Amino acid sequence: MIQENITEEEAKVYEVLKQVPDPEVAVNIVDLGLIYKVIKNDDAKTLDVDVTLSTPGCPVGDTIIHHIETVLQNNFPEHAILVELVWEPTWNPDMISDEGREELNA
Amino acid sequence: MQVGLSTKNAPSIWVVVPHFLIGTVSFLLASLFVVFNYEDLLGYHINGHVLAIAHLMILGWVSMIIFGALYQLIPVVMQVKLYSEKLAIITLVSLVIGLFFLIAAFLGYKFQLTNNFIVGGSLVIFAIILFAINTLLSALSSDEKSISKLYIAAAGGYLLLTVLMGLFIPINLTYNLLPLAHTQLMTTHIILGLAGWFLMLVIGVAAKLMPMFLIVHRTKENLLKWGFYLINGGIIVIFVTTFISGTPYLLNQISFISILAGFVLFLFFNYDVFSHRMRRKLDIGMKLSAIGLTMFAVSILSFVALYFSNGVFGLAVGRLEILAGLMLVYGFFTGLILGQTYKTLPFIIWLFYYQKLVGKQKVPLVADLYSDRLAEIHMYSFLLSIVLFVIGLLFSIKIVLLIAALAMLFTSLVYGFNVYKMIFHRKQRVNA
């Protein structure tokens, strides 16, 4: 996870996002290091998520984003969800968590 | 649309899937032909049955799957929509009908220009030209600057050149436009087709997919850049000198070595990717692909033996040609196609059925659409068939060739069943 100083509420969002797998490798997107930022604003009722993909042109990218939106909408129905695809910094395999590495080779 | 997403550029399932279906049927038919005509493999290669098998394998199986897979992969590699889906459908229809007439012509044992040859050949050439145009126009509309795109665009160009060269050979034989040996023209035609078209395309696609599937970030792209110069330099020199009389033999040999050196660099690139992969455990698709790449190394050695000698171990050149061709078309291309089928076909089916359902209900994983066990079984039967084909051809043992042919048929049947399972997948609802 590259985001620092997250609130308890944002940590909950990260937990929810673990329900979203990359359909190809069957590892969740949080442990793959694809989530760069989660900002949950309970006053403004907004939930912003920055997500990246392992490579531009990833064939399941659209599906992953759709899945994120659906899961967040289900869990945080009061919030306006904004999922943004970002390319900076470029994703690299060092961003995969230890749990992700284990799952990848299970 | 968010920048960098290829799903919205993805072609319709109706464009891609028929290629896999027809390709699989061709593989099955070619295997059946091999079983019933396995003794012909020991003869000289200009034989109706061997040519029917070769064209079913090259056009019906390898080209068919490559066409379908490339329509699916152009959005991934070039981040652009396929130029025309209608053109892709016309290409498919023309290729299938053309192939039917061509196979009928070969099985008819007539090497005159029969009507079947004219109709079949014209339709196949028409299909190939359309495909090359579709690929080149897709490449031109893409802003992506990558070594993959460079290889694929060059492959499209070589495909057109291969077809033009193929057309020029019979015209020159009939009207004697240029005083050139037709064997020399044929050699250049084969080099353009194999090295320029097929292999450049495979390198272009593999350069993107191998690191993507194996999760490798820092690849040795310089190897592919040097490979590009070496392969293209070699092909261009061979092509140009075909039309210049008195070209020193040494120049041709250097060009040939240059092309082979480019392929060796590609193999080193893959070796590096496999060595540094984050995904240590290979799935069945990548295992089969690794076997295909190993066979490529073996086929390079076969071609070296073929080119620099008039026979190895006392083998007739005709048999060596069959061995080299078999390792390339069967060992390498088939191995790679068997493997990459599991990395491409289930995705388009999965996206078709489940893309809209993710998050709303539990859906199966991509890998759940086919049987891993069956894929493992045909991996071993495929390996067995290769080993037996090599032994049978090198030592002229008919019974070994028959068992090899049966192993090939078994491979095509099991693979065919898995493809059937994917294509005719029934939407599942997985309980949480």
Side-chain angles (χ1 to χ4, degrees):
Chain A
M1 193 190 297
I2 63 169
Q3 186 179 5
E4 290 169 359
N5 304 326
I6 55 169
T7 64
E8 211 170 290
E9 281 297 301
E10 285 159 353
K12 279 184 195 163
V13 178
Y14 271 99
E15 274 311 306
V16 166
L17 286 175
K18 283 189 178 179
Q19 295 172 29
V20 180
D22 177 321
E24 213 273 310
V25 294
V27 175
N28 75 72
I29 55 169
V30 174
D31 284 325
L32 280 176
L34 296 178
I35 301 295
Y36 281 174
K37 196 174 76 181
V38 169
I39 303 288
K40 187 164 180 274
N41 187 328
D42 288 332
D43 296 329
K45 296 282 179 205
T46 57
L47 180 49
D48 297 345
V49 174
D50 283 1
V51 59
T52 193
L53 298 172
S54 56
T55 178
C58 172
V60 288
D62 203 29
T63 311
I64 291 175
I65 290 171
H66 176 66
H67 199 168
I68 294 173
E69 287 167 347
T70 312
V71 163
L72 292 181
Q73 201 67 68
N74 288 346
N75 284 273
F76 306 99
E78 306 283 304
H79 288 69
I81 314 291
L82 180 68
V83 181
E84 195 166 351
L85 180 62
V86 295
W87 297 106
E88 290 293 332
T90 306
W91 180 89
N92 71 73
D94 295 338
M95 295 175 177
I96 302 176
S97 70
D98 290 341
E99 291 82 358
R101 276 161 216 259
E102 265 177 45
E103 267 186 79
L104 210 50
N105 293 303
Chain B
M1 181 183 155
Q2 307 228 42
V3 179
L5 279 179
S6 74
T7 323
K8 285 180 180 122
N9 288 333
S12 151
I13 191 170
W14 309 111
V15 171
V16 175
V17 169
H19 289 83
F20 279 93
L21 193 62
I22 296 164
T24 305
V25 171
S26 299
F27 182 33
L28 202 65
L29 282 178
S31 306
L32 270 174
F33 273 127
V34 175
V35 169
F36 288 108
N37 301 285
Y38 67 96
E39 289 182 351
D40 288 345
L41 295 179
L42 290 170
Y44 187 57
H45 70 127
I46 302 296
N47 158 312
H49 287 147
V50 173
L51 284 176
I53 292 165
H55 283 79
L56 256 179
M57 286 295 282
I58 292 170
L59 294 172
W61 165 235
V62 176
S63 299
M64 192 66 71
I65 303 272
I66 284 180
F67 282 18
L70 201 65
Y71 293 146
Q72 192 178 341
L73 293 173
I74 278 176
V76 179
V77 177
M78 301 185 188
Q79 291 169 54
V80 73
K81 228 173 158 54
L82 177 68
Y83 176 74
S84 167
E85 291 198 1
K86 273 188 194 148
L87 215 54
I89 300 283
I90 297 169
T91 305
L92 174 69
V93 173
S94 180
L95 184 60
V96 171
I97 299 172
L99 185 62
F100 180 82
F101 279 100
L102 214 52
I103 299 301
F106 285 130
L107 292 178
Y109 270 110
K110 286 178 191 153
F111 289 96
Q112 298 90 4
L113 216 54
T114 59
N115 285 342
N116 280 350
F117 267 118
I118 294 169
V119 173
S122 307
L123 285 171
V124 167
I125 287 167
F126 178 64
I128 288 173
I129 290 172
L130 290 188
F131 173 79
I133 290 171
N134 216 352
T135 307
L136 285 170
L137 289 178
S138 304
L140 282 175
S141 64
S142 150
D143 297 328
E144 173 76 1
K145 285 185 183 67
S146 70
I147 193 77
S148 290
K149 185 183 148 186
L150 200 59
Y151 269 98
I152 294 171
Y158 282 122
L159 178 59
L160 279 177
L161 213 51
T162 307
V163 172
L164 292 176
M165 192 81 179
L167 280 172
F168 178 69
I169 293 170
I171 291 171
N172 197 47
L173 268 174
T174 313
Y175 300 105
N176 223 357
L177 301 174
L178 293 171
L180 299 167
H182 99 277
T183 47
Q184 176 61 29
L185 290 173
M186 192 60 109
T187 306
T188 304
H189 172 65
I190 291 171
I191 290 173
L192 280 173
L194 280 180
W197 153 236
F198 275 127
L199 291 167
M200 293 275 285
L201 182 80
V202 167
I203 296 175
V205 172
K208 172 81 180 180
L209 294 190
M210 291 298 173
M212 189 172 106
F213 289 140
L214 293 170
I215 311 184
V216 178
H217 226 60
R218 285 171 208 92
T219 58
K220 292 191 172 166
E221 212 171 82
N222 269 340
L223 291 173
L224 295 180
K225 279 184 190 155
W226 281 105
F228 189 82
Y229 300 137
L230 287 168
I231 297 167
N232 281 282
I235 296 174
I236 290 165
V237 170
I238 286 176
F239 177 71
V240 172
T241 56
T242 305
F243 300 95
I244 302 169
S245 59
T247 307
Y249 183 59
L250 186 66
L251 187 60
N252 263 338
Q253 276 190 319
I254 291 171
S255 308
F256 191 73
I257 292 169
S258 173
I259 294 172
L260 288 180
F263 294 148
V264 171
L265 291 183
F266 167 65
L267 286 169
F268 278 131
F269 169 84
N270 280 290
Y271 176 76
D272 179 67
V273 168
F274 271 83
S275 314
H276 291 97
R277 66 186 191 273
M278 180 69 77
R279 208 173 174 185
R280 301 307 301 174
K281 196 177 166 194
L282 294 181
D283 59 24
I284 188 65
M286 296 314 288
K287 276 186 203 167
L288 277 158
S289 305
I291 291 171
L293 286 167
T294 311
M295 291 304 127
F296 184 38
V298 178
S299 74
I300 286 179
L301 290 176
S302 310
F303 275 106
V304 170
L306 180 64
Y307 197 80
F308 290 101
S309 71
N310 288 322
V312 175
F313 313 124
L315 284 172
V317 171
R319 196 158 323 148
L320 203 55
E321 276 177 1
I322 290 181
L323 184 66
L326 187 96
M327 294 313 291
L328 190 72
V329 177
Y330 187 58
F332 175 47
F333 287 136
T334 298
L336 204 59
I337 287 175
L338 290 175
Q340 289 304 305
T341 295
Y342 294 109
K343 308 299 289 180
T344 47
L345 182 61
F347 270 97
I348 197 157
I349 307 276
W350 187 90
L351 287 171
F352 179 75
Y353 282 112
Y354 301 111
Q355 190 177 15
K356 298 261 158 56
L357 295 178
V358 289
K360 295 179 182 130
Q361 66 174 66
K362 189 115 169 125
V363 298
L365 289 170
V366 175
D368 295 334
L369 268 61
Y370 57 86
S371 160
D372 214 45
R373 179 100 188 102
L374 284 180
E376 287 270 348
I377 289 170
H378 77 57
M379 179 179 77
Y380 289 115
S381 62
F382 171 62
L383 271 174
L384 178 72
S385 67
I386 291 173
V387 172
L388 293 178
F389 269 129
V390 171
I391 294 171
L393 280 172
L394 285 181
F395 302 105
S396 304
I397 312 169
K398 286 184 183 173
I399 186 71
V400 175
L401 275 183
L402 176 61
I403 301 169
L406 289 169
M408 180 184 178
L409 180 62
F410 180 78
T411 304
S412 66
L413 279 169
V414 179
Y415 167 80
F417 183 75
N418 241 352
V419 169
Y420 169 84
K421 209 169 140 55
M422 287 184 264
I423 292 179
F424 297 97
H425 171 79
R426 284 185 183 175
K427 194 151 75 174
Q428 296 169 9
R429 194 188 168 99
V430 178
N431 294 323

